[in-house]
Amino acid sequence: MKIKNLVLMLCLTVISVVSAESLYVSEGTISSSENNNTIVVIEYIQYRLDNDTQVHGMVQQGELAPILNIGQKIGFNIEQGSGGLPRITEVWLLQE
């Protein structure tokens, strides 16, 4: 019985880890932030943030966008707007 419970717990742990990693497409570290945190630079690419950006984790909300710290490693999804910077739609705060 104990072995069966241990195997079940191990399977649930593996499933949660696999599903968490498949939620975002890109990852990187924030190297700078501009315009009241509405623009962040990740791996030399600028991305736009706004109040519609969904953040998975505890982050302070600024007036125009969530406040992500420089040096923070994140997982994220983007959408490409017409002619502008790509917009980050979702953010996951990652451990280093």
Side-chain angles (χ1 to χ4, degrees):
M1 186 69 162
K2 288 182 182 181
I3 293 175
K4 185 177 179 181
N5 289 339
L6 182 61
V7 170
L8 179 61
M9 291 298 289
L10 180 62
C11 289
L12 290 173
T13 302
V14 169
I15 289 169
S16 66
V17 169
V18 170
S19 66
E21 292 203 17
S22 64
L23 295 175
Y24 57 86
V25 175
S26 303
E27 70 177 57
T29 302
I30 298 173
S31 58
S32 69
S33 169
E34 304 170 7
N35 297 340
N36 292 327
N37 298 302
T38 59
I39 296 176
V40 293
V41 177
I42 303 168
E43 312 300 331
Y44 304 103
I45 300 172
Q46 289 185 330
Y47 297 95
R48 189 170 48 89
L49 293 169
D50 57 27
N51 283 329
D52 292 330
T53 299
Q54 183 177 7
V55 180
H56 303 279
M58 296 294 290
V59 171
Q60 183 179 2
Q61 183 64 36
E63 186 176 323
L64 302 174
I67 299 173
L68 300 174
N69 297 322
I70 295 172
Q72 174 69 54
K73 186 173 181 179
I74 63 170
F76 59 100
N77 293 328
I78 61 170
E79 68 180 11
Q80 183 63 49
S82 57
L85 296 175
R87 184 179 80 84
I88 295 178
T89 58
E90 287 185 276
V91 173
W92 286 263
L93 304 179
L94 304 177
Q95 302 287 329
E96 295 213 29

